[in-house]
Amino acid sequence: MAIGDFISYLRVSTRHQGADGHGIAAQRAVVESYLNGGRWRLLTEYVEVESGKRADRLQLRAALDACRLRRAALVVAKVDRLTRSVAFLSQLLESGVDVRFADMPALEGPTGRFMLQQMAAVAELEAGLIGQRTRAALAAAKARGKVLGGNRGTIPSAYARQAGVLVRQRQATDQARLLAPVITELQARGAASLRDLAAGLDARGIGTARGSAWTAAAVSRVLARIEAT
């Protein structure tokens, strides 16, 4: 039974399918059948006309961004509508978005993610073999008496601290990029103050990076970062 907020992603491979709507209509019907009977909200849908072999799909990227912002699950009619590429599927898993497949309803939650990871096993095989060889080499070095690792009680260097700052700044910039179009839309609808924008983001179910409610100060920081990018 489907519970929660969902965003659907529909894809056809040719312009003809996209124009006549047959392929999209069929997928939409499958998604509606999957969701039927639960406590759910379909927030919006994204439609793409693109080959399944391509990984640079703008509408899919937008759908994943929307899912992260609104803490929604992505629902797809069929696995092959999303991708036939194992490497691409692995990247999708790393996005952190809960993905549901209407034709494989068992693929949800921890068990579903595990099954999807098995589908991506071929892409991970090479990395695993490299890791195995590295561990074997380290074990051999240790057997020869070589001391491995450093002092775990050391204070992070200035370089390490700066690297941490850069990571946090990059995460904040990514969040600002996701929020920019939403804030623009809210402003176009009459949100004139920071408090109005904060209320609008909360009303859409979009939380801060920590998942908390928005404040005027938090919105101000996001606007400053959008302005700087």
Side-chain angles (χ1 to χ4, degrees), residues 81-125:
R81 289 296 88 191
L82 191 59
T83 181
R84 292 185 177 90
S85 166
V86 177
F88 182 78
L89 184 58
S90 180
Q91 294 174 13
L92 182 70
L93 286 168
E94 293 172 4
S95 72
V97 172
D98 181 14
V99 182
R100 311 286 184 86
F101 300 99
D103 62 333
M104 301 180 71
L107 292 184
E108 63 177 76
T111 302
R113 288 188 63 83
F114 173 77
M115 294 174 69
L116 287 175
Q117 286 165 350
Q118 300 312 300
M119 294 167 65
V122 174
E124 298 171 354
L125 178 59

Side-chain angles (χ1 to χ4, degrees), residues 2-19:
I3 299 175
D5 292 341
F6 290 84
I7 289 173
S8 66
Y9 173 75
L10 314 174
R11 182 187 67 80
V12 290
S13 300
T14 68
R15 296 289 176 186
H16 175 69
Q17 287 178 315

Side-chain angles (χ1 to χ4, degrees), residues 19-207:
D20 62 28
H22 293 320
I24 293 298
Q27 291 176 57
R28 188 177 291 122
V30 170
V31 168
E32 290 174 354
S33 176
Y34 167 77
L35 294 175
N36 187 35
R39 300 190 304 276
W40 52 271
R41 290 190 305 166
L42 185 60
L43 302 179
T44 186
E45 70 175 31
Y46 289 81
V47 177
E48 190 132 53
V49 180
E50 185 58 84
S51 168
K53 297 179 180 179
R54 294 182 63 90
D56 54 339
R57 284 182 251 162
L58 297 181
Q59 290 302 305
L60 177 58
R61 187 184 309 165
L64 292 172
D65 286 348
C67 286
R68 284 192 289 266
L69 274 176
R70 306 187 71 171
R71 292 178 171 81
L74 183 72
V75 58
V76 183
K78 298 181 179 180
V79 173
D80 64 3
R81 289 296 88 191
L82 191 59
T83 181
R84 292 185 177 90
S85 166
V86 177
F88 182 78
L89 184 58
S90 180
Q91 294 174 13
L92 182 70
L93 286 168
E94 293 172 4
S95 72
V97 172
D98 181 14
V99 182
R100 311 286 184 86
F101 300 99
D103 62 333
M104 301 180 71
L107 292 184
E108 63 177 76
T111 302
R113 288 188 63 83
F114 173 77
M115 294 174 69
L116 287 175
Q117 286 165 350
Q118 300 312 300
M119 294 167 65
V122 174
E124 298 171 354
L125 178 59
E126 183 177 359
L129 292 175
I130 292 173
Q132 185 180 51
R133 290 194 293 269
T134 300
R135 289 191 295 272
L138 290 173
K142 185 176 181 180
R144 294 195 301 269
K146 185 175 181 179
V147 178
L148 303 177
N151 183 359
R152 289 184 171 82
T154 57
I155 298 174
S157 65
Y159 176 82
R161 291 195 297 273
Q162 180 62 26
V165 170
L166 292 175
V167 169
R168 290 191 293 274
Q169 288 177 344
R170 184 165 58 250
Q171 290 172 339
T173 299
D174 288 343
Q175 186 198 35
R177 177 183 62 81
L178 295 175
L179 289 171
V182 181
I183 289 175
T184 299
E185 181 184 348
L186 289 173
Q187 290 172 329
R189 292 176 177 269
S193 68
L194 295 175
R195 291 183 182 275
D196 290 341
L197 290 173
L201 291 171
D202 286 337
R204 292 184 174 219
I206 301 173

